[in-house]
Amino acid sequence: MKKTYGIEVDCANCADLVETEIKKVAGVKDARVVFMTQKMKVEFEEGADEVSVMEEVLRIARKVEPDFCIVK
């Protein structure tokens, strides 16, 4: 399953660093973080729990960029 999220990230470099790190999260098959559009696309692995995966994605993203947030 693929899902797109609105995000807030401060710079293109931070977006690239966040993308690299969240691709390593268990349950994430692929991810793309785009600074210009302030969007993040996440493809989940089969059977992954979306809520718990996204909690971990947010935790990891904030280690890289403390101001990172997912807009609902």
Side-chain angles (χ1 to χ4, degrees):
M1 168 177 50
K2 294 180 184 179
K3 196 155 185 187
T4 301
Y5 300 89
I7 59 167
E8 290 183 12
V9 64
D10 294 338
C11 70
N13 186 50
C14 294
D16 288 341
L17 293 171
V18 167
E19 180 180 309
T20 299
E21 292 304 310
I22 65 174
K23 285 181 175 181
K24 299 175 187 175
V25 171
V28 174
K29 186 174 182 179
D30 193 24
R32 181 85 173 124
V33 179
V34 182
F35 171 71
M36 292 299 290
T37 61
Q38 295 287 295
K39 301 246 186 243
M40 173 175 64
K41 293 182 181 181
V42 179
E43 182 177 356
F44 299 93
E45 292 178 351
E46 187 72 33
D49 177 34
E50 179 185 338
V51 173
S52 61
V53 169
M54 288 309 296
E55 287 173 355
E56 182 67 6
V57 164
L58 184 58
R59 188 183 73 75
I60 295 297
R62 286 191 174 155
K63 279 186 168 184
V64 175
E65 169 57 50
D67 294 333
F68 185 92
C69 67
I70 298 173
V71 180
K72 298 190 178 196

